Amino acid sequence: MGAVIIDGVAIAKAVRAEWKERADRLKTQGILPGLAVIIVGDNPASKLYIRNKIKACREVGLHSEIHEFPRDTSQEMVLKRISELNVNPDIHGILVQLPLPPHIDSAKVQETISSEKDVDGFHLYNLGALVAGGTVFPPCTPYGVQCLLEHMDIPIEGQNAVVVGRSNIVGKPMALMLLQKGATVSVCTSKTRNLAQYTLLADILVVAVGKPRLITGAMVKEGATVIDVGINRLPDGKLVGDVDFEEAKRRAAYITPVPGGVGPMTITMLVANTVQAAERVAEKA
Ligand code: NAD
């Protein structure tokens, strides 16, 4: 029997509707959740991501604004704008689109964003909170994966989870979140010897590498849940994940497609984090 295909588009729509209700409630208290997005340079992929993020915010009725800088903008200018946004009461979330040009220190930029407005969840304080078992602003992509699992009623506690990839924005926070939910977690990297030995143990397999069809069907445990975070453009223009979808869906119980799986959830969780940031402001007031 084939796997159930996890419909990220439909789940994202349902989750956004929930966050819209929360945003509407804030509006009745006179608070309009606001997101500021900073982009430096004109990387077409970054511009597309930003357009989609702004569109999602508008759909939910949030305020959103783009701060565009030319590629040769100094680091000082970018940090200055972040400092202004940190104290702007109309802005509850600040996001700096990565990658930044090489003359700008991404870590320094992330650290300058107020941890209370760090809706991407990349600030060291928020990453630390994740290590300590808290969830101030969970990074959007792993948060989206967790939300997909919860929506599909896929148990996490007691399961063997394998995360392939250890980036700071996906793999590492994903592993911590699964650990926090009671899974037994293994993290595999490019240095892992015999990757299949690990993936075959996975009740939940999350793959975030950026290599088309790295995970073949033979590497998937029968009945597993396979979450494919990867986004790769093939020479013929086709978009694929890191998992051989056609093969893996014959063995898995649940699987996400690419596109239409994790991607829509990442943007949805950005909306969620922005609304939560505004809710915290409302609570303090
Ligand atoms: P990254 O390049 O920062 O990290 C890739 C990781 O994969 C590294 O930790 C590396 O050790 C590991 N790796 C490389 N080769 C490997 C191999 N052969 N076996 C096992 N591990 C290997 O990438 P990232 O930023 O985490 O992104 C990963 C993928 O996810 C990319 O395709 C990216 O486009 C995609 N992505 C998707 C979303 C989304 O919303 N769907 C969000 C973020 C990233």
Side-chain angles (χ1 to χ4, degrees):
M1 213 176 75
V4 172
I5 314 294
I6 301 177
D7 185 346
V9 176
I11 296 173
K13 200 171 160 204
V15 174
R16 279 182 210 181
E18 288 166 22
W19 286 99
K20 184 174 184 317
E21 273 180 30
R22 286 171 71 158
D24 288 347
R25 231 173 289 147
L26 280 171
K27 283 186 213 164
T28 63
Q29 298 168 44
I31 296 176
L32 174 62
L35 174 74
V37 180
I38 295 177
I39 178 168
V40 186
D42 55 5
N43 179 326
S46 294
K47 286 198 150 180
L48 177 64
Y49 289 140
I50 284 186
R51 271 204 301 280
N52 290 337
K53 287 169 184 175
I54 296 288
K55 191 167 156 248
C57 284
R58 296 209 170 129
E59 273 169 25
V60 179
L62 309 191
H63 165 71
S64 56
E65 52 190 52
I66 305 180
H67 296 250
E68 277 189 271
F69 292 94
R71 195 184 154 74
D72 59 359
T73 304
S74 68
Q75 174 169 307
E76 197 192 349
M77 278 286 289
V78 177
L79 297 184
K80 184 169 171 282
R81 182 62 56 89
I82 293 172
S83 300
E84 287 161 8
L85 291 167
N86 279 344
V87 292
N88 180 340
D90 296 333
I91 295 300
H92 303 92
I94 303 170
L95 177 157
V96 177
Q97 185 64 43
L98 301 175
L100 288 165
H103 67 278
I104 299 182
D105 177 355
S106 302
K108 176 80 188 151
V109 165
Q110 295 300 337
E111 290 324 296
T112 305
I113 298 174
S114 158
S115 61
E116 294 177 359
K117 297 192 177 187
D118 170 42
V119 284
D120 250 343
F122 297 160
H123 190 286
L124 288 183
Y125 175 85
N126 287 320
L127 291 173
L130 208 57
V131 174
T135 49
V136 184
F137 289 115
C140 298
T141 301
Y143 189 14
V145 172
Q146 182 182 297
C147 192
L148 280 180
L149 295 173
E150 285 170 358
H151 226 84
M152 298 300 293
D153 283 327
I154 294 166
I156 300 176
E157 190 176 285
Q159 303 297 297
N160 282 340
V162 175
V163 179
V164 186
R166 61 155 168 201
S167 71
N168 287 344
I169 63 168
V170 190
K172 279 186 210 163
M174 184 78 256
L176 287 165
M177 288 163 85
L178 290 165
L179 194 63
Q180 185 62 24
K181 292 275 173 194
T184 302
V185 183
S186 309
V187 182
C188 299
T189 73
S190 56
K191 307 283 188 275
T192 300
R193 278 179 279 136
N194 196 351
L195 184 59
Q197 184 190 326
Y198 292 90
T199 60
L200 280 168
L201 289 176
D203 302 310
I204 299 172
L205 177 63
V206 182
V207 190
V209 172
K211 290 197 173 148
R213 297 173 185 147
L214 174 73
I215 305 296
T216 62
M219 294 166 81
V220 173
K221 182 183 172 185
E222 288 281 350
T225 295
V226 179
I227 307 288
D228 190 353
V229 181
I231 304 176
N232 309 287
R233 176 112 23 216
L234 296 181
D236 65 5
K238 197 174 169 219
L239 219 51
V240 296
D242 293 343
V243 176
D244 188 321
F245 181 78
E246 291 305 322
E247 282 184 23
K249 79 173 186 201
R250 289 200 277 272
R251 287 171 66 106
Y254 295 92
I255 188 166
T256 58
V258 177
V262 176
M265 292 304 290
T266 296
I267 297 180
T268 300
M269 301 339 277
L270 174 67
V271 169
N273 277 346
T274 304
V275 175
Q276 278 184 82
E279 285 177 344
R280 286 184 197 129
V281 170
E283 274 164 30
K284 276 189 194 163

